[in-house]
């Protein structure tokens, strides 16, 4: 899986999303999920990914339960949950098997997206964990000053300001510093930029792309 | 006052971030916690504040177990001064910022008024009460976080590496403030790398190494063994190192530059005629 | 030609107050210079002026000139200057933008358009230089503070800058980390002739390596010269005297009380040798 070019995996992500929307039968969706899980096993992803997937399943089950409670239709609930799992799993595959830098290289070289935008996309993903850690640190700091949100929705909202204000401020200063540091590291002179890793397509990429297109066409013909 | 009994803690399954630590913080003392980065100093203070619960062992405050305590409740007893003031400042004025803590713990408006005034006064921020907190200098922001903690009338004040990133002037002001608070009866627990700072204020020191407490004693005892200091990643204060090396000239050991300077100058001055004739360059 | 030269340089951010006021300094090639001064003095702004971020990134208004390796910064671009000046910001964690250690260093090289084969080799070399060999695949977020700092340094060194600017690089380090960072900077300075400009509050930690001190206060250059001259001046005029390191407080105190002069002290060892000699002579005279 890691040897497949990032652009192919990006295409896979798009196609799987389309399939998950188009497919309406539970066995077909289950097959799609099983195929994706097999791909993950082949790719030998780390245990943290499996933990993420486990929580995805739990979340989907809760979703299905809620839908069942509302509609009383077990089949519809199962299909909705499977669709959600099928769609989300493919992002796990993409993110677990593709290096951010290669993804942005592919976006720039093959999709002709300006490098700055591609970079911002990948950097945003990189900073999510930092942002969560910061939010936790702020909550701890405020807890030591007696912060503990309680009461009705409005009261809670006001007490959350103790966390939200410093967090927003931090996000703003952090993005400013990041923009500055990128300039200081010579980022932005696109003409001269190189990419360390090869992201061009190989035979297996063309084979995969072709079969994905064929399968999508077949599905579309079947339905309409 | 605050007691840890055989406390263990780990962030991840396989790590031993705090390993079998027992200690007692006595009322009115000035205690320093030192050790390398990653040795567990911050984690130890987070356990005291109940931000983390021990995986094994127990903590007590004034004889009561802290097993069910929360940080918001501990705020009555312990003031915690974090390293980064920007993680807590969110009001429009300095006075409102300081009033947040007492409000949260349910003080009356009169109490809040008194506590805020006192806290601003002791930290030298009274004249800045109406200022926008984020426009303060680095040192002032830090004193603001100290004032915010003091306004909750805590018995213990914990400070995590308060001197790092501060300039020499701010550091001196902090030293004076801590000495004053200590004199007024606040128990102080200081986490620091700054041995010069420590030797001018702390009475007792605890050394952490790889999650374990490897030393607990007076500051004089801490500096007793040079080899051990190196092993713990600590450096001797300059005065101590020099006075130790010059012991053969009847110079007694000291951590104070002034004392050492006077001792050496006295020896060199004894024969003043010679000193005056000696060539100047 | 000096590595860095400021000629009557003044600067204000988008605010009328002058943050740097008519500064003239010259820093020679191969120098290890330290900027001193209380917070708010303009130390960071001075670093940013050398890197070209002031005024290119921040705008504001400026007067006078800044030359870096002979280039007039205002007439150049930040990308161009990045080839000569490597900058480590005070908030160095935000300077790290990729997932893994290896990618971080490669990122700097990719920005310069270096060919892929050369990138691999340079990444390896520069990680070895800062002592991060073996961490290539490690996630940046899993590194300790000191390791992150060395990684920023590596990604800056990868482009072979002639000048390194570091703003308070030791504020998150313990004494051993501080010592090894300055040792590394000193090696780069001595062996590779890299000019170093660093902001540091704890003068004692840079005393063994520095050859020039630049003292700023309120945006003004108070004094610029050898460490000895600047420290003596600070003591005599009582300007930012709190920052004089204990070693020099001792030296200046004994010199005054016993009316004698010692040679320059850079380390405690030097002080012990000189004091030992003086006390020995004194003892013999009295005998
Ligand atoms: N949030 C965290 N998650 C996982 N490990 C942590 C976390 N915080 C600290 N640690 C680990 O716990 C140990 C002790 O850290 P800490 O208490 O911060 O040390 P100190 O304050 O002495 O530098 C270190 O090995 C550190 O890597
Ligand atoms: N981005 C900025 N915009 C406006 N004013 C600034 C900015 N950065 C710093 N200043 C102001 O410039 C002065 C000097 O700041 P700085 O160079 O950061 O000093 P130092 O690094 O010595 O602490 C301070 O008064 C500060 O408030
Ligand atoms: Mg810590
Ligand atoms: Mg600064």
């Amino acid at each position: 899986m890691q040897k497949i070019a990032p652009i192919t995996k990006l295409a896979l992500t798009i196609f799987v999303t389309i399939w998950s929307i188009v497919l309406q039968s539970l066995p077909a969706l289950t097959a799609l999920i099983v195929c994706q899980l097999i791909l993950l096993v082949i790719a030998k992803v780390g245990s943290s990914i499996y933990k993420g997937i486990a929580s995805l399943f739990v979340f989907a089950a809760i979703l299905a339960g809620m839908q069942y409670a509302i509609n009383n239709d077990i089949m519809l609930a199962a299909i909705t949950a499977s669709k959600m799992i099928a769609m989300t799993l493919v992002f796990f595959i993409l993110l677990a098997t593709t290096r951010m830098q290669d993804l942005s290289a592919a976006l720039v070289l093959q999709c002709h997206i300006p490098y700055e935008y591609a970079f911002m996309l990948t950097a945003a993903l990189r900073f999510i964990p930092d942002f969560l850690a910061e939010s936790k640190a702020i909550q701890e700091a405020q807890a030591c000053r007696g912060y503990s949100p309680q009461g009705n929705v409005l009261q809670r909202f006001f007490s959350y300001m103790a966390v939200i204000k410093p967090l927003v401020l931090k996000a703003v200063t952090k993005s400013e510093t990041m923009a500055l540091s990128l300039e200081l590291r010579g980022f932005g002179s696109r003409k001269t930029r190189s990419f360390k890793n090869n992201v061009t397509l190989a035979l297996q990429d063309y084979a995969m792309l072709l079969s994905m297109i064929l399968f999508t066409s077949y599905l579309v013909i079947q339905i309409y | 006052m605050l007691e840890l009994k055989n406390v263990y803690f780990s962030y991840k399954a396989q790590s031993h971030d705090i390993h079998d630590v027992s200690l007692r913080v006595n009322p009115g003392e000035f205690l320093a916690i030192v050790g390398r980065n990653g040795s567990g100093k911050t984690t130890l203070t987070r356990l005291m504040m109940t931000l983390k619960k021990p995986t094994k062992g127990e903590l007590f405050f004034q004889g009561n177990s802290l097993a069910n305590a929360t940080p918001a409740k501990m705020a009555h007893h312990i003031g915690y001064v974090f390293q980064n003031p920007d993680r807590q400042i969110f009001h429009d004025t300095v006075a409102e910022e300081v009033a947040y803590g007492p409000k949260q713990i349910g003080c009356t408006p009169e109490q809040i008024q008194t506590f805020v005034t006192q806290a601003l006064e002791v930290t030298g921020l009274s004249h800045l009460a109406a200022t926008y907190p984020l426009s303060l200098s680095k040192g002032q922001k830090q004193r603001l976080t100290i004032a915010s903690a003091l306004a909750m009338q805590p018995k213990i004040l914990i400070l995590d590496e308060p001197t790092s990133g501060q300039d020499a002037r701010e550091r001196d002001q902090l030293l004076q403030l801590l000495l004053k608070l200590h004199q007024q009866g606040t128990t102080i627990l200081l986490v620091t790398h700054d041995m010069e700072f420590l030797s001018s204020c702390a009475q007792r020191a605890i050394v952490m190494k790889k999650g374990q407490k490897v030393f607990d004693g007076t500051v004089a005892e801490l500096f007793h063994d040079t080899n051990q200091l190196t092993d713990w990643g600590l450096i001797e204060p300059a005065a101590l190192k020099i006075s130790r090396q010059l012991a053969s000239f009847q110079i007694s050991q000291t951590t104070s530059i002034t004392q050492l300077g006077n001792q050496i100058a006295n020896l060199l001055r004894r024969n003043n005629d010679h000193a005056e004739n000696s060539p100047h360059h | 030609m000096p590595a860095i030269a400021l000629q009557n340089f003044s600067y204000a951010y988008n605010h009328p107050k002058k943050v740097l006021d008519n500064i003239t300094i010259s820093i020679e090639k191969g120098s290890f210079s330290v900027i001193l001064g209380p917070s708010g003095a303009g130390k960071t702004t001075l670093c940013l002026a050398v890197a070209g971020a002031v005024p290119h990134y921040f705008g504001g208004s400026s007067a006078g000139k800044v030359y870096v390796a002979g280039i007039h910064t205002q007439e150049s671009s930040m990308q161009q200057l990045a080839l000569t000046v490597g900058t480590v910001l005070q908030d160095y964690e935000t300077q790290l933008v990729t997932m893994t250690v290896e990618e971080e260093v490669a990122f700097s090289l990719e920005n310069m358009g270096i060919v892929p084969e050369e990138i691999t080799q340079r990444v390896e070399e520069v990680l070895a230089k800062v002592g991060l060999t073996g961490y290539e695949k490690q996630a940046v977020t899993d590194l300790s503070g000191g390791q992150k700092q060395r990684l920023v340094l590596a990604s800056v060194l990868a482009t072979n800058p002639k000048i390194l600017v570091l703003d308070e690089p030791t504020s998150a380090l313990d004494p051993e980390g501080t010592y090894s960072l300055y040792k590394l900077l000193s090696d780069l300075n001595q062996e590779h002739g890299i000019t170093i400009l660093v902001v540091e509050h704890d003068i004692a930690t840079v005393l063994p390596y520095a050859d020039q001190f630049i003292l700023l206060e309120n945006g003004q250059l108070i004094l610029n010269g050898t460490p000895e001259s600047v420290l003596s001046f600070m003591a005599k005029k009582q300007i930012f005297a709190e920052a004089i390191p204990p070693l020099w407080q001792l030296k200046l105190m004994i010199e005054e009380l016993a009316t004698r002069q010692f040679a320059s002290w850079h380390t405690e060892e030097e002080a012990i040798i000189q004091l030992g000699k003086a006390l020995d002579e004194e003892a013999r005279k009295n005998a």
Side-chain angles (χ1 to χ4, degrees):
Chain A
M1 217 38 214
Q2 276 82 350
K3 286 207 190 73
I4 309 284
I7 193 77
T8 314
K9 280 182 271 187
L10 214 53
L12 177 74
T13 313
I14 294 165
F15 281 118
V16 171
T17 313
I18 295 173
W19 300 339
S20 324
I21 295 167
V22 172
L23 289 172
Q24 295 296 348
S25 82
L26 194 55
L29 282 167
T30 313
L32 187 59
I33 291 171
V34 171
C35 287
Q36 291 194 57
L37 288 174
I38 291 172
L39 277 181
L40 274 169
V41 174
I42 295 172
K44 296 203 180 65
V45 296
S47 62
S48 61
I49 299 293
Y50 288 111
K51 273 186 207 147
I53 292 171
S55 40
L56 170 67
F57 274 86
V58 172
F59 185 69
I62 295 169
L63 194 77
M66 269 160 50
Q67 192 155 40
Y68 179 64
I70 297 165
N71 291 336
N72 233 338
D73 180 345
I74 191 128
M75 200 60 190
L76 184 68
I79 287 175
T80 315
S82 322
K83 276 181 188 244
M84 197 200 103
I85 293 173
M87 264 190 250
T88 318
L89 266 184
V90 72
F91 282 95
F92 276 98
I93 298 182
L94 177 72
L95 295 181
T97 62
T98 320
R99 299 176 343 134
M100 284 302 137
Q101 254 48 31
D102 293 347
L103 197 60
S104 49
L107 288 171
V108 174
L109 296 177
Q110 285 148 349
C111 304
H112 299 285
I113 289 173
Y115 183 76
E116 284 77 2
Y117 295 110
F119 176 80
M120 285 308 153
L121 181 81
T122 53
L125 288 170
R126 152 78 169 74
F127 280 110
I128 289 170
D130 285 10
F131 199 66
L132 293 177
E134 185 67 25
S135 148
K136 188 138 185 279
I138 293 172
Q139 279 179 47
E140 287 190 348
Q142 302 298 34
C144 294
R145 303 170 70 196
Y147 162 82
S148 63
Q150 52 195 313
N152 63 35
V153 179
L154 201 66
Q155 286 168 328
R156 268 170 195 264
F157 176 77
F158 280 112
S159 49
Y160 284 141
M161 291 316 282
V163 176
I164 292 165
K165 274 199 191 169
L167 191 60
V168 168
L169 204 73
K170 172 77 185 182
V172 171
T173 49
K174 196 167 172 113
S175 58
E176 274 171 4
T177 316
M178 193 174 129
L180 167 63
S181 81
L182 287 175
E183 296 251 346
L184 288 173
R185 288 177 70 182
F187 174 80
S189 44
R190 214 187 317 158
K191 273 167 276 140
T192 56
R193 174 163 201 94
S194 68
F195 289 100
K196 176 166 169 272
N197 285 9
N198 189 0
V199 293
T200 51
L201 303 184
L203 199 60
Q204 74 251 26
D205 292 299
Y206 289 112
M208 262 185 85
L209 282 171
L210 191 66
S211 46
M212 285 191 286
I213 291 169
L214 287 177
F215 184 64
T216 314
S217 318
Y218 165 77
L219 276 182
V220 172
I221 292 163
Q222 278 286 304
I223 292 166
Y224 301 102
Chain B
M1 181 137 68
L2 183 66
E3 194 176 4
L4 280 75
K5 277 191 183 157
N6 305 94
V7 167
Y8 290 74
F9 179 78
S10 26
Y11 287 98
K12 296 186 191 115
Q14 297 309 314
S15 63
H16 299 282
D17 298 309
I18 293 295
H19 192 83
D20 195 16
V21 171
S22 299
L23 66 92
R24 193 198 288 262
V25 181
N26 302 310
E29 77 176 335
F30 200 135
L31 173 63
I33 304 183
V34 297
R36 286 187 178 84
N37 275 349
S39 61
K41 306 181 296 298
T42 299
T43 308
L44 202 57
T45 56
R46 283 154 64 95
L47 285 163
M48 294 175 182
M49 201 65 209
T50 68
L51 285 165
K52 293 282 174 215
K53 292 286 160 93
T55 41
K56 222 170 101 188
E58 225 177 333
L59 287 92
F60 298 90
F61 183 79
Q62 292 180 330
N64 303 316
S65 166
L66 293 183
N68 298 315
T70 63
K73 284 195 192 122
M74 287 309 285
H76 289 271
H77 312 297
I78 306 182
Y80 195 115
V81 179
F82 283 84
Q83 254 176 324
N84 185 353
D86 293 333
R87 281 184 174 157
Q88 63 178 72
I89 295 176
F90 73 108
H91 287 96
D92 295 334
T93 70
V94 166
E96 284 173 43
E97 190 63 47
V98 177
Y100 176 75
K103 241 181 241 169
Q104 287 295 308
I105 60 174
C107 299
T108 66
E110 296 78 45
Q111 280 178 320
I112 295 175
Q113 180 70 42
T114 323
F115 295 162
V116 169
T117 311
Q118 277 174 357
L120 288 176
E121 180 157 353
V122 73
T123 52
L125 292 174
S126 301
H127 64 295
L128 296 169
T131 315
Y132 181 55
L134 293 170
S135 69
L136 297 179
S137 77
K138 220 185 218 171
Q140 288 167 338
K141 273 189 199 170
Q142 185 182 55
R143 277 183 284 142
L144 170 59
T145 62
I146 296 176
S148 301
L150 290 176
M152 290 181 280
Q153 310 292 303
K155 293 177 192 65
I156 304 181
L157 193 64
I158 300 180
L159 302 102
D160 194 0
E161 298 191 30
T163 54
S164 63
Q166 303 278 341
D167 73 36
R169 212 172 271 168
E170 294 161 342
R171 181 179 167 276
D172 272 13
Q173 284 177 346
L174 178 71
L175 178 64
Q176 297 313 322
L177 173 59
L178 294 186
L179 288 172
K180 183 161 72 180
L181 290 172
H182 179 237
Q183 207 167 25
Q184 292 173 357
T186 312
T187 306
I188 295 183
L189 210 159
L190 168 77
V191 175
T192 190
H193 289 305
D194 189 337
M195 292 300 132
E196 306 281 352
F197 193 87
L198 177 149
S199 64
S200 37
C201 58
Q203 300 166 324
R204 187 180 137 208
I206 282 171
V207 182
M208 293 296 293
K209 187 184 171 188
K210 293 181 179 160
Q212 283 175 295
K213 186 179 91 170
V214 289
F215 173 87
D216 186 344
T218 64
V219 169
E221 287 164 357
L222 170 72
F223 292 128
H224 183 71
D225 187 341
T226 329
N227 291 332
Q228 239 168 4
L229 283 172
T230 315
D231 179 41
W232 297 332
L234 307 176
I235 46 168
E236 288 177 277
L240 186 62
K241 182 164 178 179
I242 296 171
S243 60
R244 218 194 288 265
Q245 295 286 324
L246 297 177
S248 57
F249 299 97
Q250 270 87 50
I251 285 174
S252 62
Q253 274 186 29
T254 173
T255 55
S256 150
I257 287 290
T258 319
Q259 277 181 25
L260 177 60
N262 277 324
Q263 287 191 59
I264 297 177
N266 279 337
L267 286 176
L268 293 181
R269 220 170 13 195
R270 231 185 291 163
N271 217 329
N272 232 340
D273 299 341
H274 292 278
E276 249 134 57
N277 294 340
S278 75
H280 281 232
H281 6 251
Chain C
M1 183 181 63
I4 302 169
L6 279 78
Q7 295 176 357
N8 304 100
F9 185 72
S10 299
Y11 179 75
Y13 289 96
N14 301 308
H15 189 280
K17 189 188 137 209
K18 271 190 205 169
V19 167
L20 292 178
D21 190 1
N22 198 20
I23 308 269
T24 300
I25 323 173
S26 164
I27 296 172
E28 290 308 314
K29 227 179 257 175
S31 155
F32 192 125
S33 294
V34 183
I35 309 176
L36 314 172
S39 63
K43 304 182 295 298
T44 299
T45 311
L46 183 59
C47 290
L48 294 173
V50 172
V54 158
H56 284 299
Y57 181 84
F58 287 95
S61 49
S62 58
K65 289 176 181 159
V66 179
Y67 288 98
V68 172
I71 309 167
H72 183 194
T73 57
Q74 253 175 309
E75 284 160 13
S76 179
S77 68
M78 283 179 75
Q79 277 87 20
Q80 193 61 38
L81 287 168
L83 301 175
T84 313
V85 188
T87 314
V88 178
L89 295 175
Q90 196 165 353
D91 178 12
Y92 59 88
E93 289 199 290
T94 306
Q95 268 185 290
L96 299 168
V97 293
T98 69
M99 292 301 208
T100 68
V101 168
E102 179 177 60
E103 286 167 18
E104 196 63 56
V105 182
F107 177 75
S108 300
L109 296 166
E110 288 173 354
N111 287 339
M112 291 176 67
I114 308 278
V115 294
E117 303 77 61
E118 203 187 328
I119 290 184
T120 316
Q121 188 207 335
R122 282 228 225 157
V123 168
E124 202 177 302
E125 276 173 19
V126 77
L127 285 179
K129 231 181 235 171
V130 301
L132 284 177
T133 304
Y135 288 88
E136 289 82 0
K137 307 283 176 210
Q138 187 126 359
V140 172
T141 40
D142 289 349
L143 298 179
S144 72
Q147 288 171 333
K148 278 185 188 160
Q149 191 146 41
R150 274 183 289 161
L151 178 56
V152 176
L153 195 57
S155 55
V156 161
L157 283 175
T159 61
N160 282 329
K162 293 193 203 69
I163 299 168
L164 266 182
V165 176
L166 303 101
D167 194 359
E168 297 189 27
T170 60
S171 53
L173 301 181
D174 60 14
E176 288 176 343
T178 303
Y179 175 81
S180 62
L181 177 74
Y182 281 129
K183 197 88 192 63
L184 173 62
L185 291 179
S186 165
D187 287 348
L188 292 168
N189 177 246
Q190 298 288 317
E191 285 162 30
H192 302 269
I194 297 178
T195 307
I196 309 254
L197 180 62
V198 46
V199 178
E200 175 61 59
H201 287 305
D202 187 356
I203 298 179
T205 59
V206 286
L207 209 46
Y209 315 109
D211 55 24
Q212 180 169 2
F213 279 179
I214 299 162
L215 177 61
L216 295 181
E217 189 162 24
N218 281 326
Q220 310 220 318
L221 177 67
I222 305 293
L223 189 66
N224 163 34
T226 59
E228 298 77 43
S229 61
V230 173
L231 289 171
S232 309
F233 180 86
M234 285 162 71
K236 201 155 90 204
K237 296 273 155 79
Q238 285 296 301
I239 294 177
F240 200 38
E242 304 91 332
I244 300 172
L247 192 60
W248 275 69
Q249 286 173 15
L250 182 69
K251 178 175 187 282
L252 297 168
M253 182 179 171
I254 300 174
E255 283 179 348
E256 190 182 323
L257 290 178
T259 48
R260 60 160 78 215
Q261 295 284 308
F262 294 101
S264 190
W265 290 357
H266 301 97
T267 60
E268 282 140 13
E269 284 71 18
E270 271 181 19
I272 290 162
I273 291 170
Q274 289 185 30
L275 284 172
K277 221 184 259 170
L279 289 167
D280 219 26
E281 269 172 33
E282 205 62 36
R284 249 180 285 142
K285 270 185 232 157
N286 290 334

